[in-house]
Amino acid sequence: MLLNSFIFLLVFIIICSFNLYVATLLLIIMGLLNTGHDQTNQQKDIGTALKNGKEILFQGFNWESHKYNWWENLESKVGEIAKAGFTSVWLPPPTHSFSPQGYTPQNLYSLNTNYGSEHHLKALLAKMKQHKLRSMADIVINHRVGTTQGRGGIYNRFDGIPLSWDEHAVTSDTGGLGNRKTGAIFQGFPNIDHTQDFVRKDIIGWLRWLRHNVGFEDFRFDFAKGFSAKYVKEYIEAAKPLFCVGEYWDSCNYRGSSLDYNQDSHRQRIINWIDGTGQLSAAFDFTTKGILQEAVKGEFWRLRDGQGKPPGVMGWWPSRSVTFVDNHDTGSTQVLLESQAHWPFPSDHIMEGYAYILTHPGIPTVFYDHLFEWGNSIRNQIAKLIDVRKREGIESRSSVRILEAKQNLYSAIIGDKVCMKIGSASWCPSASHTQWELATSGHNYAVWRKQ
């Protein structure tokens, strides 16, 4: 600021002296300085957390959270979440939705939802910022619920609310007058046509508002396989979140009801999506989840691929792999009438799952239910694993040397500082070359660190 003020003063003096040539030269220099400053800021903003590699995410809700004054509930827990060592908290969709969970958006500029009022949301975000926790907005832009019936008697117009689009904003294969989908169709709702310039312009304006006015710092893209990854790239470049992750949830490879050992084509599809975003976004590692939840049943040989590496996205591109055990869709809540448990991790092996993802490369995610609803023992065990990860400097790009991967045992050394095992078989690291001390342990898992 002082440098710019000084240059402006010089320009003024020179202009007054009628030396327009020198004045123009100084203005060009100042423009170059500002351009460099802007480029530095952009590099600092977009993907900062991906480069850091030290991220530990917390999913701060489940499928039923909308029932419980959620923004106020989470605000009361911010201190605990920060103390546990998390860096970013994934929040449910923050704007008005036709359904209470937030995944059928309608008025994108209303922050009054079933999770709480705009006032309570902003109070939560402010408290998170005080505790140096980043907030992640759940971005649902694959589909939108209309307010007015349009072509074909379908609610595919959005009259009377901000972003009052007509049928041209809806893809032709979901009842609109737009172009065909550039990805998978989300059935039962008007799917947004991202090929339309006016749609992308409006979405960018909204994302910038969430980022710079509301105060969200990170984005999670819902149903990311529903529209081309190139649009995600455009949105990230325009809104400049610090961290992004996409939900590219594709079915793993099965033979009947049996999971195939080789899931290379599955993880490749996720990696192709990441590439399509210009490598600006990470993605949830559904490959690792699918393999891990089968492995803990006594098939730990699944955790080493044909090249001796971890078999998920983690094994090929760990800095873009966001690992998790369960989330609001795959295994949320235990209430049968409203359970969203579409693909649950075996409940009696949860800690083996966390012992794996919290000691391995990638960007691990902890689910709200496991930290706050499964009792103090599970919470304390997760907290100890996070502490080991942070103390021993395990990052998203840390190396992995798999020692054992057989029926009832998996063991590995991560980053040359941590050794771990999961499974019912008895095992401990050899002391012939390195002295190890037990850092933490529980049912069917143990973690050691170098002395």
Side-chain angles (χ1 to χ4, degrees), residues 407-428:
Q407 184 176 355
N408 292 315
L409 173 66
Y410 171 87
S411 63
I413 294 176
I414 304 93
D416 294 323
K417 295 181 179 180
V418 169
C419 186
M420 60 80 69
K421 83 96 180 179
I422 51 177
S424 60
S426 178
W427 187 90
C428 63

Side-chain angles (χ1 to χ4, degrees), residues 197-214:
D197 290 343
F198 76 91
V199 167
R200 296 200 308 281
K201 179 182 177 182
D202 284 348
I203 288 175
I204 286 170
W206 176 66
L207 291 174
R208 285 174 170 166
W209 174 72
L210 286 176
R211 172 75 177 90
H212 302 291
N213 295 84
V214 180

Side-chain angles (χ1 to χ4, degrees), residues 370-383:
H370 300 149
L371 196 69
F372 287 113
E373 296 191 349
W374 282 42
N376 290 333
S377 176
I378 296 292
R379 183 190 311 178
N380 293 337
Q381 290 179 73
I382 290 172

Side-chain angles (χ1 to χ4, degrees), residues 181-199:
K181 283 278 289 184
T182 59
I185 293 175
F186 190 87
Q187 299 291 342
F189 296 93
N191 284 212
I192 295 171
D193 182 5
H194 293 265
T195 70
Q196 304 286 357
D197 290 343
F198 76 91
V199 167

Side-chain angles (χ1 to χ4, degrees), residues 57 88-91 94 134-141 203-222 232 234-247 273 280-284 322:
L57 310 183
S88 178
V89 180
W90 163 21
L91 300 177
R134 299 198 314 277
S135 52
M136 179 184 293
D138 205 330
I139 305 299
V140 187
I141 51 175
I203 288 175
I204 286 170
W206 176 66
L207 291 174
R208 285 174 170 166
W209 174 72
L210 286 176
R211 172 75 177 90
H212 302 291
N213 295 84
V214 180
F216 285 101
E217 295 168 284
D218 301 344
F219 291 162
R220 178 256 187 191
F221 289 95
D222 180 69
V232 175
E234 182 177 346
Y235 299 146
I236 292 172
E237 289 176 336
K240 298 180 176 60
L242 299 183
F243 177 84
C244 287
V245 57
E247 183 206 30
W273 181 85
L280 294 177
S281 179
F284 285 109
V322 177

